[in-house]
Amino acid sequence: MKKRILKIYKWTFIIGFLYVLFIYATDTMIPCSYYSIFGIKCPGCGLTRMFLSLLKLDIASAFFYNPFMFIMLIGWNIVGIIAIFGKLENANPRYFKIAGNICLILALIFGIVRNFF
């Protein structure tokens, strides 16, 4: 499990680094296709601005852009760090599926609620 999590971190970092280079080189961000088509915010709207704010260590702005994903990022990283250091070696993979499904349901609820307030 450690190798799989480290591989996910590695590719996330590489793709994120290349995307940040693209943003700074072209001064262009990829627009949200869901927002462009339907005119309402998806659960992921604001992620790019959130990560750019985190790179500048502006925690308040990062939370403002997407509070749900900001909290989920902290939670996922805590679980990832615990898994890397071996505390979850005997964990049932079923629990990860259940946790993933709960995250998806919460993201859908957040996506609906954020468009009303």
Side-chain angles (χ1 to χ4, degrees), residues 39-87:
I40 56 176
K41 293 180 181 178
C42 74
C45 279
L47 275 178
T48 300
R49 292 174 289 163
M50 181 188 83
F51 281 112
L52 291 174
S53 294
L54 285 174
L55 285 175
K56 297 175 187 173
L57 301 176
D58 186 359
I59 306 298
S61 292
F63 184 80
F64 172 77
Y65 287 129
N66 196 319
F68 175 74
M69 289 300 196
F70 183 85
I71 293 168
M72 293 307 299
L73 178 70
I74 293 169
W76 291 332
N77 280 307
I78 289 170
V79 171
I81 289 168
I82 291 171
I84 288 170
F85 289 107
K87 303 295 181 189

Side-chain angles (χ1 to χ4, degrees), residues 7-21:
K7 191 175 186 179
I8 291 169
Y9 274 110
K10 177 182 84 172
W11 283 107
T12 302
F13 178 78
I14 291 169
I15 292 168
F17 180 74
L18 292 173
Y19 184 48
V20 168
L21 287 178

Side-chain angles (χ1 to χ4, degrees), residues 100-115:
N101 289 334
I102 290 170
C103 289
L104 285 174
I105 291 167
L106 291 174
L108 289 172
I109 292 169
F110 173 72
I112 293 167
V113 170
R114 83 182 305 191
N115 286 295

